[in-house]
Amino acid sequence: MKTKTLKQIIMIVFAAAALAAAGWMFFRSCVGPMRRGGRDTSFSSVTLSRLSPTRELRVMSVYKEIVVGRTKTENTILGPTERKIYIIYPARLNIGYDLSDFGEDWIRASHDTVYVSLPPVTILNEDGNYVDEARRRVPIESGSWSSGEMNELRARANQEMLLQCAEEGCFSEATAQGRALVESLLHTLGYRNVVISGNSIPSPRTSTPGR
């Protein structure tokens, strides 16, 4: 099979898998997310979750609730008074591949062997935010808080979400899932040997969310 034809077939299969995943997403929305290792994940370990119109291949979607808070002292007519606020942010981190990162020679075939060079998985949240501002809950609030202070709390929640996912090995897991997905697909297409290179695990501390 020619390499160009193989690339086209893989993209078609990705799109077909995305349609099947859309049905699964509807089913999951009815029965609720699955729990794995203390967090909610949208799909099983080797299931393609979505091929978006922006040419993104989502491998993992992690949901958490992030709690942030702070205190400050305000001078009132009664003297110095402590004010506090705690916010619960729903947060979701999408990890996968931006297909524009796939180089021209990312895949080539020779007889019954196919060689694949995968880019690192990346963060796919387009808006650069992991937290859902509209669905935040504020169980404790006293005093007044400026927009700047609220923005600082949201930024802290974003960073905390990223760090928790890194500490739990989500990027490593997404990397393994991506490799398994591609390898399984190529075996299905009839290739006996699949050689995958690249696909190093990114450093989430230096990753730039959004595209």
Side-chain angles (χ1 to χ4, degrees), residues 16-104:
L19 291 175
W24 172 250
M25 289 179 70
F26 175 77
F27 171 77
R28 188 187 67 84
S29 69
C30 295
V31 301
M34 295 179 294
R35 299 288 299 180
R36 300 184 63 206
R39 62 178 183 273
D40 292 336
T41 58
S42 295
F43 299 94
S44 60
S45 61
V46 293
T47 302
L48 171 65
S49 60
R50 186 181 68 174
L51 180 65
S52 75
T54 54
R55 292 177 58 82
E56 292 175 349
L57 183 63
R58 187 186 301 171
V59 175
M60 175 184 289
S61 186
V62 182
Y63 175 83
K64 288 178 171 291
E65 290 191 339
I66 303 297
V67 181
V68 293
R70 63 167 293 184
T71 61
K72 66 180 180 180
T73 301
E74 291 182 341
N75 291 319
T76 68
I77 58 174
L78 300 176
T81 303
E82 184 180 77
R83 305 299 191 188
K84 63 180 61 178
I85 185 171
Y86 287 91
I87 304 176
I88 303 172
Y89 283 104
R92 185 173 296 279
L93 188 68
N94 299 320
I95 309 172
Y97 297 110
D98 184 331
L99 300 188
S100 63
D101 291 339
F102 285 61
E104 286 295 324

Side-chain angles (χ1 to χ4, degrees), residues 2 21 59 66 96 113 119 130 161 167 205:
K2 294 182 179 179
V59 175
I66 303 297
T113 300
Y130 319 129
M161 175 64 172
E167 290 172 355
R205 297 174 185 272

